[in-house]
Amino acid sequence: MTARISTFEQYQEEYKKSIEDPEGFWAGIAENFTWKKKWDKVLEWNFKEPNIKWFLNAKLNITENCIDRHLAHKGHQPAIVWEPNDPSEKSITLTYNQLHEQVCTFSNVLKKQGVKKGDRVCIYMPMVPEAAVAMLACARIGAVHSVVFAGFSTQSLSDRINDCNCEVVITSDGLFRGAKTVELKKIVDEALAVCPCVRNVIVLKRTGTPVEMKEGRDIYWTEEMQNSSGDCSSEEMDSEDMLYILYTSGSTGKPKGVVHTTAGYMVYTWYSFLNVFQYNDGDVYWCTADIGWVTGHSYTVYAPLLAGATIVMFEGIPVYPDAGRFWSVIEKHEVNIFYTAPTAIRSLMASGLDFVKPYDLGSLRVLGSVGEPINEEAWIWYNENIGKNQCPIVDTWWQTETGGILISPLAGITETKPSYAMLPLPGVQPVLLDSTGHELTGNAVEGNLCIKFPWPSMIRTTYGDHERCRQTYFDTYPNMYFTGDGCRRDADGDYRIIGRVDDVLKVSGHRLGTADIEDAINHCPEVVESAVVGYPHPVKGQGIYAFVTCDKAEHEYAALKQDILHNVTNLIGPIAKPDKIQFVRGLPKTRSGKIMRRILRKIAEGDTSNLGDTTTLIDPTVVEEIKNGVAS
Ligand code: WTA
């Protein structure tokens, strides 16, 4: 069977089939892969525990499907075309044959370090081909990778390493990001001072920055590769064996390790990639997401390789050396499918068309958007100036927990509307619920977005704490996966994601928990208490607004502000730095001591006309003071 949908009628038929007979539907899609052994049963599930299993007892290795099976007919086709941060440096191409060789060789490097099936390996690397090689090598030998975004600080890194007991860390001497150099190995060294579980560190040379190599622990990537063989058969994995852990922020507590397993993730990410982007054999595909985020896992690495695509992998940032960089890379590598985040579009839009005009964007066929709501203005600019009104835009809604795109137009097939994710993919059953858990049926309704039936790439657990997974996603509404997003279904039945209904922020597309930021702020000894909320930001989507109480006099605020910024950078990373800090005498609290964030959000938005009922507050006068105060 072919898995590619090519008309809207066909989409409707496939959708119907996927709802009426999910098991038959997904079994049919799964036939497209190489299995070491097929499944006994397609699905077993309940959302109560939760217990979700797809393709039970099947055996496979995802890298055979990402690489080996393409070798016969695509061995010489580029798999990864790498574009460096500095445009004067040469780009590097790895064909499928070369990727195979590198992955097998690095698999042997890992084995030599004693890494076995089920062991956890932390990857803290720049956007270089070796990062993808490292992920795939883990998957080939059955190790579980935990990629940590290389913009996170020492503390975040050590927390993540310790949470899942990584035994090996793969990193580089440093990384280039625009005009900046970051000394990654140094951050790893600091982090490992509190990570007794780590046995080895494998260091790739990227920047040439001198590093300290700890005897018996640290080894160089290149030397080890030179001493290892390029033959490595792939480990037999069960469908439900862990593929990776990826940490993500929620409303409360420390970031949690979202667990994805092997078969369902493979089947769903491939199917969604093929259909959403309408991928054609031979297309050059570029997803700008860093491998530190879920988009970088599913749609920079796994899905396009599963489809046998040529991937562009970009080390740099959209505005270096200038705001024309994206468009110059598209021209240079003749990109057909381009997938990026609204925040990048908004920042390039603000730089003006002079940065777009010099480049020939004629190779583009499909444009994608991901990670946060795209506002109409940015959508229209993207459509007119990048797509030249010729390229469908797919506004793809999904989450770290969903593993793949759940709601999105299919390029050129589904009608599009600015800032609408439009319709669920086959196999996805969204529902909208009101706050009492009542399902809102029919059209022209708005509520909390839930999914009522499992799809193959969904979260299985949160690492080391299954109860937390149940409470976070399956407890709010019985028998539903709760997304944390608000959503409207309009009069035509099309979906528009409104944004988070909890305390999770999307700042420049990065997912951050307000509780995490507050913890970092409260680390300053002079801070008594803090409350962080998001507010609309023209480029970042959401900005970070911190209300802080402290025992300092007003003339000391400027110094304390610097301390706060410093602490947040050290404990989380520069992406979590508040845009605005307002020192206040008190926070609006209810008699039970709960901070009324609703009021703070309104004030941060600059909308103080109707703050709602404030009579339940212990001290309503603080609201007046906050309203009249200023942030800096
Ligand atoms: C938001 C990113 C509107 C949403 C893949 C979700 C979006 C959160 C869209 C997950 C979109 C993602 N339109 N909002 N197209 N895509 N979001 O885990 O709030 O980093 O819950 O995964 O991003 O963020 P995460």
Side-chain angles (χ1 to χ4, degrees):
M1 68 161 283
T2 165
R4 217 353 239 284
I5 293 168
S6 45
T7 63
F8 191 67
E9 290 65 39
Q10 199 190 346
Y11 159 74
Q12 288 174 312
E13 278 165 30
E14 293 294 306
Y15 189 79
K16 197 158 166 264
K17 246 194 273 173
S18 77
I19 305 304
E20 287 170 356
D21 176 19
E23 298 192 26
F25 176 81
W26 286 113
I29 304 295
E31 290 293 342
N32 290 282
F33 294 88
T34 303
W35 300 87
K36 293 182 194 277
K37 174 186 167 291
K38 292 258 175 86
W39 50 93
D40 301 331
K41 192 178 169 196
V42 178
L43 173 64
E44 187 179 287
W45 73 286
N46 72 68
F47 277 176
K48 206 163 165 339
E49 298 175 55
N51 169 36
I52 299 129
K53 292 193 172 84
W54 282 90
F55 308 109
L56 285 86
N57 300 321
K59 307 292 172 198
L60 73 156
N61 188 287
I62 195 169
T63 68
E64 264 187 35
N65 288 285
C66 286
I67 312 172
D68 302 48
R69 68 165 170 160
H70 304 311
L71 297 180
H73 54 290
K74 285 188 173 173
H76 299 289
Q77 181 200 298
I80 298 179
V81 176
W82 176 71
E83 175 67 24
N85 179 62
D86 180 345
S88 64
E89 196 182 332
K90 265 176 97 151
S91 50
I92 290 174
T93 297
L94 284 185
T95 63
Y96 272 93
N97 280 334
Q98 290 166 326
L99 180 64
H100 181 254
E101 199 189 335
Q102 288 218 9
V103 169
C104 289
T105 313
F106 196 66
S107 297
N108 285 325
V109 172
L110 290 174
K111 279 185 177 173
K112 207 156 90 191
Q113 298 313 313
V115 180
K116 300 176 306 296
K117 182 173 173 176
D119 291 349
R120 274 83 54 215
V121 172
C122 173
I123 299 176
Y124 186 66
M125 288 184 89
M127 282 291 282
V128 289
E130 289 84 350
V133 168
M135 291 165 75
L136 293 161
C138 287
R140 192 156 185 96
I141 66 169
V144 178
H145 57 71
S146 166
V147 181
V148 177
F149 174 58
F152 279 126
S153 70
T154 306
Q155 175 80 36
S156 301
L157 177 61
S158 60
D159 283 351
R160 286 160 172 77
I161 289 173
N162 284 331
D163 187 76
C164 65
N165 279 303
C166 293
E167 296 178 18
V168 169
V169 177
I170 308 169
T171 189
S172 66
D173 49 0
L175 65 71
F176 297 121
R177 188 175 287 136
K180 286 194 203 122
T181 307
V182 182
E183 296 184 30
L184 283 193
K185 174 63 165 57
K186 214 167 139 195
I187 299 174
V188 170
D189 287 339
E190 284 166 14
L192 294 195
V194 294
C195 300
C197 49
V198 175
R199 204 173 50 227
N200 292 107
V201 181
I202 305 175
V203 184
L204 177 80
K205 284 186 191 161
R206 170 66 190 118
T207 53
T209 317
V211 295
E212 248 177 67
M213 295 293 279
K214 192 169 163 190
E215 185 76 35
R217 187 194 70 180
D218 302 352
I219 51 178
Y220 279 115
W221 175 289
T222 312
E223 283 169 21
E224 295 301 314
M225 289 290 271
Q226 280 161 357
N227 297 327
S228 297
S229 121
D231 287 327
C232 181
S233 59
S234 64
E235 187 75 32
E236 184 172 289
M237 304 300 284
D238 185 83
S239 289
E240 287 299 335
D241 276 340
M242 244 187 267
L243 175 63
Y244 68 79
I245 303 167
L246 183 57
Y247 286 85
T248 193
S249 302
S251 294
T252 53
K254 290 254 179 221
K256 48 190 171 290
V258 170
V259 170
H260 285 294
T261 58
T262 306
Y265 180 81
M266 171 181 82
V267 169
Y268 191 86
T269 54
W270 173 80
Y271 178 76
S272 57
F273 174 77
L274 215 60
N275 283 296
V276 167
F277 298 105
Q278 290 289 298
Y279 168 76
N280 289 328
D281 228 13
D283 277 346
V284 177
Y285 163 86
W286 180 20
C287 168
T288 65
D290 191 284
I291 51 144
W293 312 108
V294 75
T295 311
H297 282 63
S298 300
Y299 298 104
T300 302
V301 178
Y302 283 110
L305 291 177
L306 288 166
T310 293
I311 301 166
V312 172
M313 187 175 186
F314 178 46
E315 187 186 32
I317 56 169
V319 292
Y320 181 80
D322 63 44
R325 189 65 193 280
F326 271 5
W327 323 128
S328 92
V329 174
I330 289 172
E331 178 185 85
K332 179 173 169 189
H333 298 296
E334 299 181 67
V335 172
N336 306 115
I337 304 172
F338 178 63
Y339 190 30
T340 196
T343 187
I345 300 167
R346 285 189 298 264
S347 91
L348 299 178
M349 180 169 94
S351 305
L353 286 176
D354 285 348
F355 289 100
V356 183
K357 282 187 191 135
Y359 302 103
D360 177 0
L361 303 179
S363 59
L364 287 174
R365 205 183 72 245
V366 174
L367 299 176
S369 170
V370 60
E372 47 171 324
I374 178 165
N375 49 309
E376 274 197 54
E377 201 191 349
W379 194 100
I380 290 166
W381 186 87
Y382 197 29
N383 185 39
E384 286 177 356
N385 299 295
I386 307 306
K388 320 286 180 198
N389 297 309
Q390 303 292 317
C391 303
I393 296 178
V394 288
D395 178 358
T396 63
W397 174 84
W398 59 296
Q399 311 177 296
T400 305
E401 295 85 346
T402 69
I405 298 165
L406 295 197
I407 305 183
S408 170
L410 308 185
I413 290 176
T414 317
E415 186 201 329
T416 58
K417 297 178 193 173
S419 66
Y420 274 72
M422 298 303 291
L423 293 170
L425 263 60
V428 176
Q429 304 191 32
V431 286
L432 302 182
L433 303 179
D434 68 16
S435 53
T436 64
H438 180 73
E439 182 173 344
L440 303 161
T441 52
N443 291 339
V445 288
E446 192 173 312
N448 290 340
L449 177 62
C450 291
I451 317 286
K452 69 173 179 193
F453 194 86
W455 63 100
S457 65
M458 72 184 295
I459 180 173
R460 298 298 196 268
T461 189
T462 46
Y463 191 84
D465 194 350
H466 194 62
E467 174 58 14
R468 188 165 178 207
C469 172
R470 189 192 68 78
Q471 271 182 15
T472 312
Y473 307 105
F474 299 93
D475 198 38
T476 317
Y477 302 109
N479 296 318
M480 299 276 171
Y481 165 81
F482 177 43
T483 65
D485 279 315
C487 179
R488 179 166 31 246
R489 187 165 53 225
D490 74 0
D492 302 324
D494 298 322
Y495 290 82
R496 178 178 189 160
I497 308 298
I498 295 158
R500 302 288 308 193
V501 294
D502 54 12
D503 293 321
V504 170
L505 305 181
K506 288 305 299 252
V507 179
S508 299
H510 302 320
R511 179 164 159 181
L512 299 168
T514 51
D516 271 351
I517 307 174
E518 288 162 7
D519 273 355
I521 295 174
N522 298 349
H523 249 261
C524 299
E526 300 87 354
V527 168
V528 175
E529 210 179 8
S530 64
V532 166
V533 297
Y535 70 98
H537 186 287
V539 174
K540 296 179 169 186
Q542 270 186 308
I544 303 173
Y545 198 125
F547 296 91
V548 177
T549 62
C550 65
D551 50 19
K552 286 267 166 187
E554 206 170 324
H555 70 272
E556 293 168 301
Y557 286 173
L560 180 53
K561 187 182 166 189
Q562 288 315 310
D563 273 2
I564 289 174
L565 295 177
H566 188 73
N567 259 292
V568 173
T569 306
N570 278 346
L571 294 172
I572 308 177
I575 51 172
K577 277 200 291 197
D579 299 275
K580 291 184 183 178
I581 297 175
Q582 183 176 345
F583 293 101
V584 297
R585 184 179 55 86
L587 295 169
K589 284 189 185 171
T590 61
R591 284 190 185 90
S592 59
K594 213 174 147 226
I595 297 172
M596 295 273 278
R597 289 169 182 281
R598 177 179 56 78
I599 293 176
L600 294 176
R601 263 185 229 118
K602 284 238 168 200
I603 294 173
E605 279 165 24
D607 171 16
T608 52
S609 55
N610 177 17
L611 293 179
D613 185 11
T614 56
T615 54
T616 57
L617 295 176
I618 309 176
D619 179 4
T621 60
V622 297
V623 174
E624 279 311 303
E625 287 178 27
I626 297 175
K627 262 166 64 175
N628 298 330
V630 281
S632 60

